[in-house]
Amino acid sequence: MKLTSIGLRKSEVSSATASRIRKPEKLQHRPSPHTVLNPQMLQLNLHERPKLIAEVSESHKGYSQLILAGEVLRTCASELLKLRRLAELPQYTPSQANQIDVIKKTVMFWSKKQLFGRYVLDSTFAPVQTDSVLVEFTIPGLDMNRERYRDEVVSLYINNRLVALAFERTEDREVLLEQFKMMFAFAQLQLRLNEQQELVIGIPDAQWRQWDGQVYVSGQGGRYAEGALSP
């Protein structure tokens, strides 16, 4: 038995079938949505890029500074332990006395270590994490505990700055404290009251490093005597 091919004439194709037969469309090149950038988004990215770079740079600086601060603290702690063991000796040999001076010099060197133009540790041996580092101290006798039986003006000479405090006996302590804060602010210092009602003075770390630590007090004798004090 022979197989014969079956042929169809065009006239034999129904119209319904012909309507379903379409010519293939030409392929068009369409860009990927990931490669299409909105002009506004592109402009926004260009504006945000310097900000992002600056944030990454600051984060890198902060991380590097904290890492170095940890190394400095470990070094200083090791040197201070050596100094403590020497200090517990009943007497020093010339070699041990010289070693004490070497340790003090080493600790002072590391306490002045800088990174990116900023100190790694402040004067209290705490890691520097902000640009405005304050070192706080108190002056013996400078508090709000003493009774005020008469008006008195107490003058403090701190790091070449004069701060005058007017203790008015009839004024509320809260009002006096706000006035004192303003006077210290004029001298580029800060002030707060601690739990013992002492006046805690804050001085920038950079100024503390250059200050001799002497406070000259001038009073009228009712609250404070005149003279030099060390915080």
Side-chain angles (χ1 to χ4, degrees):
M1 179 178 179
K2 292 184 179 180
L3 295 178
T4 58
S5 60
I6 300 175
L8 294 178
R9 294 191 298 272
K10 294 183 179 180
S11 59
E12 296 177 355
V13 181
S14 63
S15 59
T17 306
S19 62
R20 292 196 296 267
I21 299 176
R22 297 180 180 178
K23 294 182 180 180
E25 298 179 355
K26 293 183 178 180
L27 296 178
Q28 297 180 358
H29 175 71
R30 296 181 180 179
S32 173
H34 299 288
T35 60
V36 178
L37 293 178
N38 190 332
Q40 295 180 354
M41 291 298 296
L42 179 60
Q43 186 178 6
L44 180 61
N45 291 336
L46 292 177
H47 284 302
E48 291 293 331
R49 187 173 300 173
K51 181 180 179 181
L52 294 175
I53 294 176
E55 291 178 355
V56 172
S57 178
E58 288 299 322
S59 300
H60 172 70
K61 287 182 179 180
Y63 177 77
S64 300
Q65 193 162 358
L66 289 177
I67 293 298
L68 182 57
E71 295 293 334
V72 173
L73 285 175
R74 282 190 287 270
T75 301
C76 291
S78 176
E79 295 297 320
L80 291 175
L81 287 176
K82 297 177 184 178
L83 185 62
R84 180 180 179 178
R85 288 194 292 267
L86 291 173
E88 293 175 349
L89 297 177
Q91 58 183 1
Y92 308 133
T93 63
S95 176
Q96 292 171 338
N98 184 70
Q99 188 177 359
I100 291 175
D101 292 336
V102 172
I103 293 174
K104 290 167 58 178
K105 185 177 180 180
T106 302
V107 172
M108 290 300 298
F109 169 79
W110 285 109
S111 67
K112 297 179 180 179
K113 186 66 176 177
Q114 296 186 23
L115 182 65
F116 302 115
R118 298 193 308 181
Y119 286 105
V120 177
L121 303 178
D122 63 17
S123 299
T124 63
F125 285 87
V128 175
Q129 302 185 41
T130 59
D131 293 331
S132 57
V133 180
L134 291 177
V135 177
E136 293 185 329
F137 63 93
T138 58
I139 299 176
L142 187 63
D143 53 51
M144 303 290 287
N145 291 323
R146 297 188 182 186
E147 296 294 336
R148 293 171 286 138
Y149 297 111
R150 62 189 179 94
D151 297 339
E152 182 181 5
V153 177
V154 177
S155 299
L156 306 175
Y157 195 68
I158 305 174
N159 194 24
N160 299 326
R161 291 179 174 84
L162 181 63
V163 181
L165 306 178
F167 288 87
E168 300 179 17
R169 60 184 178 86
T170 58
E171 193 63 85
D172 293 337
R173 291 191 175 187
E174 291 75 12
V175 177
L176 283 180
L177 182 61
E178 293 301 321
Q179 293 177 356
F180 294 167
K181 287 181 179 179
M182 185 179 301
M183 296 304 298
F184 276 95
F186 288 149
Q188 299 179 358
L189 302 171
Q190 291 190 10
L191 181 69
R192 67 177 180 87
L193 202 64
N194 62 10
E195 296 179 354
Q196 290 74 32
Q197 299 298 305
E198 296 175 319
L199 299 181
V200 181
I201 304 171
I203 182 173
D205 181 68
Q207 297 182 19
W208 173 274
R209 294 174 184 271
Q210 300 176 356
W211 181 36
D212 60 359
Q214 294 293 314
V215 178
Y216 296 91
V217 182
S218 176
Q220 297 171 342
R223 290 177 58 87
Y224 308 100
E226 297 184 358
L229 297 174
S230 298

